[in-house]
Amino acid sequence: MMKIAKLVVCLGTVAMAWASAAKPYEVVLSNPAQVSGTELKPGTYKVDVAGDRVTIRDSKQKVECAVKVEESEQKYSATTVRYGLVEGKYRVSEIHLGGTNMKLVF
């Protein structure tokens, strides 16, 4: 009986971890842009959100930083990036995640 209880607890833990795993989103940067002090070249990146942390990566670079996750009343139809211009350089200020109502504020 004790083995069954342990098995149920283990399976429950694995199921919860799997369900809460971050789904990667895809974002396209059309301009060279800075994220958390790191310059990213134009291209396609994967975005992983875990709580108030985000990881932006491609095959060559990886940037991790804190973000503020906000929810919109409506779902975004496409993933979009908002830039700010600081000292002549683009900086990512927001990412709206397509298919969700989540907005990442940097």
Side-chain angles (χ1 to χ4, degrees):
M1 189 67 165
M2 191 66 154
K3 288 183 181 182
I4 292 174
K6 286 182 183 179
L7 179 64
V8 168
V9 169
C10 284
L11 289 176
T13 302
V14 169
M16 286 180 8
W18 181 61
S20 67
K23 173 190 172 210
Y25 299 94
E26 193 170 276
V27 64
V28 176
L29 298 180
S30 56
N31 300 305
Q34 291 186 342
V35 173
S36 190
T38 301
E39 178 102 11
L40 299 176
K41 294 180 181 180
T44 303
Y45 293 84
K46 297 286 184 192
V47 177
D48 296 303
V49 181
D52 64 348
R53 304 283 305 167
V54 67
T55 302
I56 301 173
R57 61 185 161 78
D58 69 357
S59 62
K60 298 176 186 172
Q61 287 185 289
K62 178 179 172 181
V63 178
E64 295 181 43
C65 63
V67 293
K68 182 178 179 185
V69 179
E70 296 181 356
E71 291 188 15
S72 171
E73 292 181 17
Q74 298 178 359
K75 285 187 177 184
Y76 297 107
S77 60
T79 298
T80 58
V81 179
R82 295 189 76 182
Y83 300 96
L85 194 57
V86 179
E87 298 177 2
K89 294 187 177 188
Y90 287 106
R91 290 193 183 163
V92 175
S93 60
E94 295 179 359
I95 297 177
H96 302 173
L97 298 174
T100 75
N101 62 344
M102 286 195 317
K103 173 171 64 171
L104 308 176
V105 181
F106 293 80

